[in-house]
Amino acid sequence: MKVAMWGLGLLGIGIFGFFLISTFGNIAVTNQLNYTTMKNTVEAAMNDAVDIAHYRTGFCICANNSSKKNGKYQFTSSNQYMIKDIENGQCSDYNWDNCEVVNGEYKIDKKVFAESLVRRFAEVVGNSKDYNIIIQDIIEYPPKVSVRVESEDKQVFSDDTYGITNQIDAILEAK
């Protein structure tokens, strides 16, 4: 009888160990899938959203004077600037402190980025998890985005759910 109890105890510990390995393994795999997918799709979506027409012809950027440091603009939010097309080779006054023409610089299109990100992300994740893609901010020039991906996952042996959240701030750099 003593040996049988030891056997049942070891079997119980084995089942509990299998449960822990399954649960934490699933969390680790899901987290890695979400992070890698988010990183790759954000990079690809930023490259898709590069506005080549404005790169070639230039664009007009209007911002307050405090946004420029060492000859470069530095924005922390998309409401600190306004981007317009060039009219007659120069910037018209758009009731902002400082407007200037920018040539040969990359800018991204917000709408194209959002559409490309969602499409690419949906193509990669083909599982039954619930995803929530939150685009926190898109700064068109210089190109910077902030994206957060939240997923709801079910545990292996129960109906309980847990959430995994990943966030990335990406800057487009190109030569």
Side-chain angles (χ1 to χ4, degrees), residues 41-57:
T41 55
V42 165
E43 180 182 358
M46 285 185 79
N47 287 325
D48 287 347
V50 170
D51 193 349
I52 298 296
H54 280 114
Y55 173 77
R56 291 180 181 151
T57 61

Side-chain angles (χ1 to χ4, degrees), residues 51-63 67-68 71-75 81-87 89-92 94 98-108 140-143:
D51 193 349
I52 298 296
H54 280 114
Y55 173 77
R56 291 180 181 151
T57 61
F59 54 91
C60 187
I61 186 161
C62 300
S67 299
K68 201 167 191 179
K72 294 281 186 181
Y73 285 104
Q74 296 178 356
F75 301 115
Y81 65 92
M82 181 174 58
I83 295 178
K84 294 289 183 179
D85 290 333
I86 297 173
E87 296 176 9
Q90 62 184 357
C91 292
S92 300
Y94 293 107
N98 185 21
C99 291
E100 68 180 61
V101 175
V102 178
N103 288 314
E105 298 272 342
Y106 288 113
K107 110 178 188 32
I108 59 174
E140 294 175 289
Y141 173 78

Side-chain angles (χ1 to χ4, degrees), residues 5-66:
M5 292 306 288
W6 274 104
L8 285 175
L10 286 175
L11 183 64
I13 289 174
I15 291 173
F16 182 69
F18 180 71
F19 172 76
L20 289 177
I21 290 171
S22 295
T23 300
F24 291 115
N26 191 24
I27 291 171
V29 167
T30 301
N31 185 35
Q32 184 64 36
L33 170 73
N34 290 356
Y35 175 75
T36 305
T37 303
M38 177 186 62
K39 184 179 144 197
N40 292 337
T41 55
V42 165
E43 180 182 358
M46 285 185 79
N47 287 325
D48 287 347
V50 170
D51 193 349
I52 298 296
H54 280 114
Y55 173 77
R56 291 180 181 151
T57 61
F59 54 91
C60 187
I61 186 161
C62 300
N64 54 13
N65 289 331
S66 62

